[in-house]
Amino acid sequence: MSQYLPTVAALLALIPAASHASEARGKSTPPPAKDCVEVSGTALSGTAEGPAYAAAEVKCGAKLSLVLQRQTGRNGILPVWTVIDQVTISKPSLRHELLQPAYCSSSRFPDVAVFALGRMVEQPDGSYRSENVVKAWRFDIKRERLAAIPADGVTCALDGVD
């Protein structure tokens, strides 16, 4: 049993805090490990009869991770989330950011949630498009994990504000 404690402690360290950002999304989780904070999060579509899923970008000190979570219960009216997969993110520059599935798509995986590590650049029409996408992941719902995919063919875009 004691051989598993470091692994369990490491996984618990990646669970985001029930801070104001988490409460806005209805998350109920234990406090994070020291120096861990949820940077961003997004709901992911699952199946109609299956559990709900979410992903969060978590920063622990200098380390960044993309964490996949499944709803495993409720605490009153708030859902309880359990970490089921994670990937470590290494940004090649300060301008690179984790781009969310709401803005990203892949020509190779057209109907799944795609995360990308890249830069958004403003276009002449006021919209933004991804540039220099260096890594990408898709949400593999059957295996409940984040799967690395080729970055070529991944595009992220955000329409300009009128």
Side-chain angles (χ1 to χ4, degrees), residues 10-134:
L11 287 173
L12 289 174
L14 294 172
I15 298 174
S19 66
H20 65 282
S22 293
E23 289 171 17
R25 286 189 297 283
K27 290 186 179 181
S28 174
T29 57
K34 186 177 180 182
D35 296 330
C36 289
V37 65
E38 183 177 324
V39 177
S40 66
T42 187
L44 299 171
S45 32
T47 60
E49 64 279 349
Y53 295 94
E57 181 180 4
V58 177
K59 183 174 183 180
C60 295
K63 179 182 169 188
L64 275 174
S65 295
L66 175 58
V67 178
L68 179 63
Q69 304 168 342
R70 178 186 342 111
Q71 184 179 343
T72 55
R74 296 193 85 66
N75 182 4
I77 62 169
L78 296 176
V80 175
W81 299 95
T82 300
V83 173
I84 56 175
D85 195 17
Q86 69 179 20
V87 293
T88 301
I89 301 169
S90 298
K91 293 184 178 184
S93 77
L94 292 176
R95 291 194 55 213
H96 278 79
E97 58 187 316
L98 183 64
L99 306 172
Q100 301 291 327
Y103 312 111
C104 299
S105 62
S106 168
S107 60
R108 294 181 187 190
F109 301 95
D111 297 324
V112 298
V114 174
F115 294 88
L117 184 60
R119 296 186 301 211
M120 293 294 273
V121 177
E122 187 173 10
Q123 304 299 305
D125 65 357
S127 66
Y128 287 83
R129 292 194 59 81
S130 58
E131 175 183 276
N132 195 16
V133 173
V134 294

